[in-house]
Amino acid sequence: MSYCWGAGSCGQLGLGEAAAGGPVRCRRGPEPGGGSALLEAACGERHTLLLRPDGTVCSCGANARGQLGRKLRPGQRRGYTPEQIQALEAQIIVHVSCGKEHSLAVCNRGKVFSWGAGSEGQLGTGEFKEQSLIPKKIDGLSALRIIQVTCGHFHSVALAQEQVFKPYAVAALATIGVVYISCGDEHTAVLTQDGSVFTFGNDSAGQLGHRSLTQMPGPQKVEWLDGPVSHLACGSYHTLVYMSTPGQVISFGRGPQRHIENGTASNPGEQTQNFDISSLVSANDLSGVQVKMIFAGTYVNFVSTLQSQDLECAREISPADTLQKISRLDRTLIDKWIGVTVGTDEFQEAKREIAMIFSSPACLSASFLKPSSALGANCIGVDLQKARDVFDELTKNEWIVNQINYYLLTDLIPGLPLRSPHREALSIFLLLPECSVMYKEQNLEPFVMRLAQAINRMSDRSSNILEKCWMSLSASFLDTVVQMFKKAVVSQLPFYATARCRDTKPLLEVLEKLYRANRKANYTLQLSNFYIDEISGTFILPTDVGRWRSWQATANSCHEDDVPVIFCRFPFVFNLVSKTQVFHFDSILKQEGAKAEAQFILKQNELLRKDELPEFPVFPLQVKRSNLVEDTLRKLSLVEDSVLKKQLLVQFEGELRGLDAGGVTLEFFLYLFEEMVNPQYGMFVYCDSASPMWFPTSPSVEKKKYFLFGILCGLSLFNRIIAFIPFPLAIFKKLLDKKPSLEDLKELSPVVGKSLQEVLNYKYDDIEENLQIHYCVSWDNKEVDLIPDGSSIAVNNKNKKDFVNKYVDYVFNKSVEVIYEEFKRGFYKVLDREILRFFQPQELMEVAIGNANYDWNKFEKNAVYWGMYTPSHPTIKMFWKVFHELTVAQKKGFLLFLTGSDRIPVMGMDCIKIKFNPHMTMSEDHIPEAQTCFHILILPQYSTIEKLREKLLLAIDNNRGFGKN
């Protein structure tokens, strides 16, 4: 049964123009279809909405602003009897609410419709229209599944499933477990899971129930209510609560000031009446009647009751129980689906249930929501481990996999929330990578590709929230997301040369977002987790470098949609080998481009019968071996900048010019750097004999030499020469604009670095007395104040970190600023800064000077044998026996003898293939010879292992000079 009472002059009781001084049976609208039951009522200032069990809505009362949502008969201004709202007949409405002159309705799909007065924006349509006569869907809530709405005088509030039952706009309610909300004209009341009531807003009429003269800001608990509350409702300036245990309805507040209808008094004060409602509904007025729900309006209150046959289940009913429940996965459903027999009615029902859950982002997210008590400030709102386990269990059944595939593809992925400001709504983007169907080869394109496209279409706000969610993930779950998108990229590599390759771009763009999130999270994952190793050694890299350089030249004139995929725009996917190959291909492209341009000009001039010759397409450098350093620096200072980016061809004066396959150039850099980095030359200082070199604070050579040394370092890199220059890692950090740290100082000067670490580790309060350190340090034989008057400022536990930071900054930056900048200027005269940013400092160091990752067994395994030599030849067997007995220093000496360098390229030992060549005219009295350009060892046949050892060591000890025997 349903009851109503209060004013009815506008027909808002549905009783004509009659009023009711006490509870009377109310009408529910036309009987056909709706039946006689009433599911819910909502009251505005002068209008009412009645929701029937079949999901239809009737309205009655005033319609001045279209708040009834339906047209009245000609000449009518009010609806005195409830009539159905035809515009909503296609929807199954599950919840309604009324404001002063506007109305809201929620359908079973979680969509919200609004109509009536909208001048204050209360309709949520983005417009401020005076009125809207027909119910319209609120598009701004389309990404959320709304389960309840409530209206104030000129405002509206919606409760979404994605919000874990906590209004996000009211931070103070985040942890109290809100299950129901209601709004008055200027106040709001919320009901919690434990039956407590919190109110906030205007308390001028006592509608908050706080019984205190001091109004506290924010939600406050109504303390005096004696027992848990089952239901609540807000009128304009009053609040009703129902406690089911004693069966009492309690009201507090008063009726609002309202104009006397048809009043004629001239004094505005005389045209209002104040209604104190404290006695309108006494606590025992409805004793003996089992209340199901209560509804409050401006002047009208409704109570729905339970029939006698429903009384057994009445104890547990609460407002939350009346709300539309969202479908979600639980243990019962999982067991049911796994155990169902194909073809049965239960099978068809299971398919419908799968369709419901896996078609809806909200349903799938709700299935794995964590309880509010488990949520922290940066916590992920869903249980990803539970999701992973459940998906693994479900996808063992083929028919379930087929159903999941279909509904993910047709409904869920197209319906992903792209503009939601709520973490819970966006958690679907974290759940999908945990589902194993996303990783199947046939699903990578339709599923993962579309997911990537959706992520790239997200609003900036939603994208930022998703990025923060990624930052909060543990390594295991973040890596799952990364590997999913990487696998999709790999599946597209065969199409790199086709127009279809553009489909790879959204995947790479998402990986870039993930890479950025990982960096902001202080590298939850190692950089190698993002590497796509399948790119290395393929035709893709040289082509990609060409695409990249062409795109850079035309970036301002071409549309992004017309640009093919370019991996160089996403260098974080390159492993070290790929980065090195890209760098080398780029150098070759520049060098060969200069040659092609010269050849074109030459042919063109021939056709035009011109005698002009093009600019020389290489960089020829002829130097004196006897005065190598000074002659090189002098000639280098005369070279134009453009020449530096051409292929370097070195010739020593007075020596025969032949085909240089790299050996002469390699020898040139070997001898040149060996002399320039020698402490006796004076350009660099060493803290001790085993430490790397660094710039002096007071250089003894002119500043220009550091500029030219930078050019030489750039030239060796540009021409793909591994030259051992004993710089520390710090120099490569600085070249890549990264700060050196205390760890770098430990490498440069282990003694100083260790001392500073001990300062940081010192935990006792007597640091000043015991250590007696001041902001004055000794470096490179100079006493320096790190701050003004530093010698008189002691280091203590409060400033020791600052002291260490300033010490490190002085050594690596301030003390060498001028000459380092000269070195850097020369270095980047040759090299492209942008492509070097592909590398991490350690990687750039390995590319420049190689590494010491020796694998001598692989060295033997990769050997190539020519002529009579085979692995079983006696001379070869003796050679390897002797070689493996050498010391590490001797083996490195042999490597220097064979290749011109004792360092290993970044590609590893596989790049060094020793080629054994017998020399038919050489006797065993000759020592072995080497052609460093091709790694060829000319090895005579020796009769004994002793003879071979003697000659081999002699060759190693005399490895100075190119091709000497």
Side-chain angles (χ1 to χ4, degrees):
M1 295 183 188
S2 303
Y3 295 85
C4 61
W5 62 91
S9 60
C10 293
Q12 57 264 54
L13 294 183
L15 304 175
E17 296 187 49
V24 298
R25 292 280 300 275
C26 62
R27 299 177 186 175
R28 288 156 295 280
E31 293 294 325
S36 61
L38 177 64
L39 184 65
E40 191 172 284
C43 305
E45 184 178 55
R46 292 184 177 87
H47 77 290
T48 302
L49 298 181
L50 303 173
L51 175 61
R52 298 186 292 180
D54 64 351
T56 58
V57 181
C58 296
S59 60
C60 57
N63 196 38
R65 296 296 183 89
Q67 59 263 49
L68 297 187
R70 59 184 174 87
K71 290 184 178 180
L72 300 179
R73 295 183 181 88
Q76 274 192 327
R77 296 175 57 193
R78 299 166 180 168
Y80 291 103
T81 58
E83 297 288 342
Q84 183 176 342
I85 301 176
Q86 298 298 323
L88 294 174
E89 65 180 355
Q91 310 295 331
I92 300 176
I93 302 301
V94 296
H95 182 61
V96 291
S97 183
C98 293
K100 179 183 179 182
E101 294 178 310
H102 74 287
S103 306
L104 298 180
V106 184
C107 74
N108 64 334
R109 294 180 295 111
K111 308 305 176 187
V112 182
F113 299 84
S114 63
W115 65 95
S119 59
E120 305 298 325
Q122 60 265 51
L123 297 184
T125 59
E127 299 177 313
F128 295 88
K129 297 176 65 174
E130 285 296 322
Q131 61 185 33
S132 178
L133 303 178
I134 300 174
K136 293 182 180 179
K137 186 172 71 171
I138 300 178
D139 292 331
L141 296 175
S142 59
L144 300 172
R145 190 179 183 92
I146 303 301
I147 57 173
Q148 187 202 350
V149 291
T150 185
C151 301
H153 220 51
F154 298 108
H155 71 289
S156 306
V157 180
L159 181 65
Q161 177 67 40
E162 287 81 357
Q163 292 177 285
V164 203
F165 294 104
K166 55 181 182 183
Y168 258 71
V170 188
L173 299 178
T175 59
I176 63 175
V178 175
V179 296
Y180 197 77
I181 55 178
S182 183
C183 287
D185 279 4
E186 298 175 351
H187 78 292
T188 302
V190 299
L191 179 63
T192 66
Q193 290 175 339
D194 64 359
S196 299
V197 176
F198 289 78
T199 57
F200 53 96
N202 188 308
D203 195 30
S204 60
Q207 62 267 50
L208 299 187
H210 293 158
R211 295 182 174 178
S212 173
L213 297 177
T214 304
Q215 184 172 345
M216 302 293 290
Q220 302 295 321
K221 184 177 180 180
V222 181
E223 299 284 359
W224 54 269
L225 292 173
D226 188 19
V229 171
S230 302
H231 310 279
L232 63 77
C234 291
S236 290
Y237 290 89
H238 70 285
T239 304
L240 297 179
V241 298
Y242 174 66
M243 294 185 291
S244 59
T245 303
Q248 294 180 335
V249 176
I250 297 175
S251 62
F252 43 92
R254 60 167 171 77
Q257 291 186 332
R258 63 183 178 87
H259 291 286
I260 299 174
E261 295 185 17
N262 302 319
T264 58
S266 58
N267 188 335
E270 295 176 3
Q271 293 194 28
T272 62
Q273 292 180 345
N274 293 322
F275 288 84
D276 184 350
I277 67 161
S278 59
S279 61
L280 269 181
V281 183
S282 71
N284 298 312
D285 267 1
L286 296 171
S287 60
V289 177
Q290 184 61 54
V291 173
K292 180 181 179 182
M293 286 290 288
I294 57 177
F295 312 96
T298 305
Y299 315 124
V300 180
N301 299 287
F302 280 74
V303 173
S304 63
T305 64
L306 289 165
Q307 302 294 331
S308 58
Q309 62 266 30
D310 297 326
L311 293 178
E312 291 183 5
C313 59
R315 295 293 179 189
E316 302 301 323
I317 291 180
S318 71
D321 296 323
T322 68
L323 302 178
Q324 175 77 0
K325 295 296 185 293
I326 190 169
S327 299
R328 66 182 74 194
L329 267 172
D330 57 26
R331 189 70 252 170
T332 302
L333 273 184
I334 294 168
D335 292 340
K336 173 184 173 183
W337 295 351
I338 292 174
V340 76
T341 302
V342 176
T344 62
D345 291 341
E346 290 80 7
F347 175 69
Q348 297 301 324
E349 184 181 6
K351 288 172 66 177
R352 287 192 293 271
E353 291 165 347
I354 292 174
M356 174 66 74
I357 292 173
F358 283 90
S359 295
S360 167
C363 289
L364 198 57
S365 296
S367 301
F368 303 104
L369 287 176
K370 293 179 180 178
S372 57
S373 59
L375 297 178
N378 295 315
C379 184
I380 300 302
V382 286
D383 189 334
L384 294 179
Q385 185 60 55
K386 178 183 176 183
R388 180 179 290 182
D389 296 340
V390 168
F391 291 147
D392 286 346
E393 187 176 2
L394 289 176
T395 51
K396 291 176 182 176
N397 290 57
E398 192 61 29
W399 76 267
I400 297 179
V401 170
N402 293 335
Q403 293 294 303
I404 291 175
N405 283 348
Y406 179 80
Y407 290 106
L408 286 183
L409 185 61
T410 59
D411 294 321
L412 191 143
I413 293 178
L416 287 169
L418 306 182
R419 289 170 176 78
S420 174
H422 307 296
R423 276 191 174 219
E424 287 77 8
L426 299 177
S427 62
I428 186 65
F429 291 97
L430 307 180
L431 289 170
L432 285 176
E434 297 303 325
C435 189
S436 58
V437 300
M438 302 289 289
Y439 294 83
K440 292 192 175 182
E441 201 67 36
Q442 66 270 26
N443 289 345
L444 290 173
E445 185 169 340
F447 285 58
V448 183
M449 192 81 73
R450 294 185 185 185
L451 177 60
Q453 291 167 349
I455 291 174
N456 289 322
R457 291 198 309 271
M458 294 174 77
S459 66
D460 290 343
R461 184 179 181 185
S462 296
S463 183
N464 290 337
I465 294 172
L466 180 58
E467 186 173 304
K468 290 178 181 177
C469 289
W470 285 335
M471 290 169 60
S472 301
L473 291 177
S474 65
S476 170
F477 294 114
L478 180 59
D479 192 49
T480 296
V481 185
V482 172
Q483 298 311 315
M484 180 185 71
F485 287 107
K486 275 177 56 178
K487 187 173 182 180
V489 171
V490 172
S491 73
Q492 296 297 306
L493 293 182
F495 310 109
Y496 178 81
T498 69
R500 183 175 166 184
C501 72
R502 289 189 179 88
D503 295 339
T504 313
K505 279 201 287 187
L507 298 167
L508 291 168
E509 287 166 355
V510 173
L511 278 171
E512 187 174 39
K513 294 175 188 286
L514 285 160
Y515 180 82
R516 185 169 58 240
N518 184 59
R519 187 181 65 229
K520 290 180 180 177
N522 199 23
Y523 298 100
T524 303
L525 298 178
Q526 295 183 355
L527 297 179
S528 58
N529 289 63
F530 291 86
Y531 293 164
I532 300 178
D533 297 327
E534 290 81 357
I535 297 175
S536 298
T538 66
F539 75 96
I540 290 176
L541 288 178
T543 306
D544 203 73
V545 173
R547 283 184 183 180
W548 182 49
R549 289 306 187 187
S550 297
W551 169 76
Q552 286 182 320
T554 60
N556 295 329
S557 60
C558 62
H559 194 277
E560 182 62 34
D561 291 342
D562 299 325
V563 179
V565 65
I566 301 173
F567 285 101
C568 286
R569 295 176 65 183
F570 308 93
F572 58 87
V573 302
F574 292 147
N575 59 27
L576 179 53
V577 172
S578 295
K579 292 175 187 178
T580 306
Q581 290 172 338
V582 165
F583 176 71
H584 289 169
F585 287 139
D586 188 58
S587 301
I588 293 169
L589 188 67
K590 288 184 173 71
Q591 293 172 350
E592 295 304 314
K595 296 176 185 177
E597 183 180 0
Q599 188 174 18
F600 174 77
I601 294 173
L602 186 63
K603 291 289 185 184
Q604 189 178 50
N605 288 347
E606 285 180 5
L607 292 173
L608 297 175
R609 300 181 183 279
K610 291 183 178 181
D611 295 332
E612 298 176 14
L613 293 175
E615 187 177 313
F616 210 49
V618 295
F619 175 16
L621 183 62
Q622 191 176 62
V623 293
K624 297 176 182 178
R625 190 186 288 273
S626 59
N627 190 26
L628 183 58
V629 173
E630 301 309 321
D631 193 41
T632 298
L633 296 182
R634 180 179 63 81
K635 291 183 176 178
L636 203 59
S637 64
L638 302 175
V639 174
E640 294 183 6
D641 291 352
S642 60
V643 177
L644 298 173
K645 297 190 178 184
K646 297 177 180 179
Q647 183 181 355
L648 177 65
L649 294 179
V650 177
Q651 183 189 2
F652 291 110
E653 287 186 10
E655 298 183 12
L656 289 176
R657 178 181 298 180
L659 175 65
D660 178 19
V664 175
T665 303
L666 195 152
E667 182 189 16
F668 162 75
F669 280 111
L670 175 67
Y671 293 157
L672 184 71
F673 285 136
E674 187 176 76
E675 185 173 343
M676 293 188 76
V677 303
N678 192 307
Q680 302 301 320
Y681 189 74
M683 281 191 72
F684 300 99
V685 294
Y686 295 79
C687 294
D688 58 58
S689 59
S691 65
M693 69 183 190
W694 194 241
F695 302 97
T697 57
S698 301
S700 59
V701 300
E702 58 181 323
K703 183 173 66 174
K704 184 178 181 181
K705 282 193 174 182
Y706 291 98
F707 168 71
L708 296 173
F709 186 79
I711 289 179
L712 286 167
C713 291
L715 283 173
S716 68
L717 257 174
F718 187 71
N719 288 275
R720 301 171 295 286
I721 300 295
I722 295 178
F724 183 59
I725 309 165
F727 269 130
L729 180 61
I731 193 69
F732 300 97
K733 284 187 175 182
K734 285 172 66 66
L735 287 169
L736 296 176
D737 298 323
K738 298 182 184 294
K739 286 184 177 181
S741 66
L742 176 57
E743 294 304 311
D744 296 299
L745 188 52
K746 290 177 184 178
E747 179 191 10
L748 181 62
S749 176
V751 174
V752 173
K754 182 182 178 182
S755 299
L756 292 178
Q757 185 65 59
E758 289 175 352
V759 171
L760 290 178
N761 295 342
Y762 200 89
K763 299 179 180 179
Y764 303 104
D765 294 333
D766 61 349
I767 182 172
E768 294 184 47
E769 298 79 13
N770 195 20
L771 299 186
Q772 295 186 357
I773 304 173
H774 295 79
Y775 273 79
C776 179
V777 300
S778 176
W779 180 258
D780 195 16
N781 300 317
K782 291 173 63 176
E783 295 287 331
V784 180
D785 281 350
L786 298 178
I787 58 176
D789 197 25
S791 58
S792 62
I793 300 176
V795 174
N796 53 45
N797 281 324
K798 291 183 179 179
N799 63 20
K800 62 184 181 182
K801 287 185 179 179
D802 177 68
F803 167 73
V804 171
N805 290 337
K806 282 185 167 55
Y807 201 145
V808 172
D809 181 57
Y810 173 77
V811 171
F812 289 116
N813 300 315
K814 291 184 177 179
S815 67
V816 297
E817 184 175 5
V818 174
I819 55 176
Y820 165 75
E821 288 299 325
E822 283 297 296
F823 166 80
K824 180 180 176 181
R825 186 167 68 90
F827 186 78
Y828 283 118
K829 277 283 185 184
V830 185
L831 298 174
D832 179 39
R833 190 185 301 261
E834 187 171 9
I835 203 167
L836 288 188
R837 288 203 179 102
F838 288 12
F839 296 94
Q840 296 298 314
Q842 182 65 48
E843 295 174 334
L844 182 58
M845 184 177 186
E846 288 194 31
V847 173
I849 66 175
N851 60 55
N853 300 327
Y854 302 105
D855 186 339
W856 303 116
N857 290 326
K858 181 176 285 189
F859 183 55
E860 178 182 357
K861 182 180 178 181
N862 291 337
V864 177
Y865 303 95
W866 292 348
M868 70 176 68
Y869 281 153
T870 66
S872 59
H873 190 282
T875 300
I876 297 300
K877 292 173 72 174
M878 287 190 295
F879 171 85
W880 286 119
K881 180 173 176 56
V882 170
F883 179 81
H884 287 301
E885 291 173 352
L886 297 176
T887 65
V888 173
Q890 288 171 329
K891 289 176 181 176
K892 290 169 63 177
F894 176 78
L895 207 59
L896 178 63
F897 166 70
L898 178 71
T899 68
S901 173
D902 62 357
R903 305 283 289 180
I904 306 301
V906 293
M907 285 78 158
M909 293 292 285
D910 286 329
C911 294
I912 305 176
K913 294 183 183 292
I914 181 173
K915 303 173 184 69
F916 288 92
N917 185 26
H919 200 293
M920 306 308 296
T921 62
M922 291 174 62
S923 70
E924 64 176 7
D925 293 328
H926 287 83
I927 66 172
E929 296 181 6
Q931 294 181 2
T932 57
C933 337
F934 306 106
H935 304 170
I936 297 174
L937 178 66
I938 302 173
L939 184 67
Q941 297 183 64
Y942 296 104
S943 58
T944 65
I945 194 169
E946 290 77 15
K947 177 67 76 172
L948 190 149
R949 181 183 290 109
E950 175 193 348
K951 297 300 182 181
L952 184 60
L953 290 174
L954 192 59
I956 293 172
D957 293 338
N958 293 276
N959 59 19
R960 295 293 183 234
F962 179 68
K964 296 179 71 176
N965 57 24

